[in-house]
């Protein structure tokens, strides 16, 4: 990834809000719009809802492939049988071979039309959707920086708690010193 300054993301330094506010401010308006546009487009595709349809199409394609293999085998058998007929009898049997070839061509045409329709249905879903790679990479970078900022905040909170303990200890020591000084003064005055 490019450095934050050139990726459309502003540094978190100087942000006065909490970690979450700083992360939101760190994403430029252009990046936020790009991410929103990609999310709308990909959300509009309804891939989860279309999964069943795509599964049915893929199963139908597999069935068509199997039928095609069976059809080719039947065509091979018809050609083999035709070649086994004596040359003099072949003209009368040509019609059967031509019908077998025509049936195979028709089956392949149906298979190709189905595959093309399935492809174009997916293609038309995807053609208007923007490539989500750039916004996802930028979001990944922002999330990574957010995680680091959160870790730094946790460290700073722990350090602050230590400083507070130390300050409390120093305050207690200060009270003890003042109390002892007062006792010392009292003792000196009492002599």
């Amino acid at each position: 990834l490019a450095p934050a300054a050139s990726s459309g993301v502003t540094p978190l330094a100087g942000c006065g809000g909490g970690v979450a506010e700083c992360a939101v401010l760190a994403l430029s308006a252009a990046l936020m719009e790009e991410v929103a546009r990609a999310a709308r487009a990909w959300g509009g595709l309804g891939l989860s809802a279309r999964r069943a349809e795509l599964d049915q199409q893929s199963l139908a394609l597999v069935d068509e492939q199997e039928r095609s293999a069976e059809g080719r085998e039947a065509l091979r058998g018809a050609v083999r049988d035709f070649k086994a007929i004596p040359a003099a009898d072949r003209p009368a049997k040509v019609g059967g071979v031509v019908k077998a070839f025509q049936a195979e061509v028709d089956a392949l045409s149906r298979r190709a039309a189905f595959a093309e329709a399935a492809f174009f249905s997916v293609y038309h879903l995807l053609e208007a959707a923007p490539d989500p790679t750039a916004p996802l990479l930028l979001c990944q970078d922002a999330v990574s920086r957010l995680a680091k900022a959160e870790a730094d905040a946790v460290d700073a909170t722990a350090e602050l708690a230590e400083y507070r303990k130390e300050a409390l200890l120093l305050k207690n020591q200060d009270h003890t010193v003042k109390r002892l000084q007062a006792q010392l003064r009292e003792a000196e005055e009492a002599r």
Side-chain angles (χ1 to χ4, degrees):
L1 286 176
S6 65
S7 66
V9 178
T10 59
L12 291 174
C15 178
V19 174
E21 289 99 359
C22 290
V24 170
L25 292 175
L27 296 175
S28 69
L31 172 61
M32 292 297 286
E33 178 54 34
E34 188 176 349
V35 169
R37 188 172 76 86
R40 281 190 307 270
W42 283 93
L45 294 179
L47 289 178
S48 296
R50 294 183 189 268
R51 226 174 271 281
E53 176 187 348
L54 294 172
D55 287 343
Q56 288 175 341
Q57 287 178 342
S58 67
L59 291 174
L61 283 172
V62 169
D63 289 343
E64 289 294 327
Q65 286 175 332
E66 290 172 1
R67 277 194 286 272
S68 180
E70 292 167 1
R72 277 192 307 277
E73 191 57 40
L75 183 59
R76 279 191 203 106
V79 170
R80 198 173 28 250
D81 292 345
F82 181 74
K83 287 180 180 179
I85 297 173
D89 295 338
R90 284 186 186 170
K93 303 290 183 176
V94 167
V97 173
V98 169
K99 284 182 183 178
F101 271 103
Q102 187 59 48
E104 181 64 15
V105 167
D106 291 345
L108 289 174
S109 294
R110 279 192 309 275
R111 179 177 166 206
F114 182 80
E116 288 169 357
F119 169 77
F120 284 120
S121 72
V122 172
Y123 176 77
H124 290 305
L125 282 174
L126 299 177
E127 76 178 323
D131 183 359
T133 305
L136 287 174
L137 288 174
L138 291 172
C139 285
Q140 179 184 19
D141 181 49
V143 167
S144 172
R145 287 184 292 109
L146 177 60
K148 184 180 180 330
E150 285 177 348
D152 290 347
V154 167
D155 291 345
T157 302
E159 190 175 342
L160 179 60
E162 287 295 320
Y163 287 148
R164 283 183 177 159
K165 282 183 194 176
E166 191 175 322
L168 183 61
L169 180 62
L170 291 174
K171 188 176 180 181
N172 288 339
Q173 287 176 355
D174 186 45
H175 287 302
T176 302
V177 167
K178 286 180 183 177
R179 186 176 46 82
L180 290 174
Q181 284 175 344
Q183 287 175 353
L184 181 60
R185 263 186 297 214
E186 288 174 11
E188 286 178 355
E189 288 174 1
R191 286 198 227 168

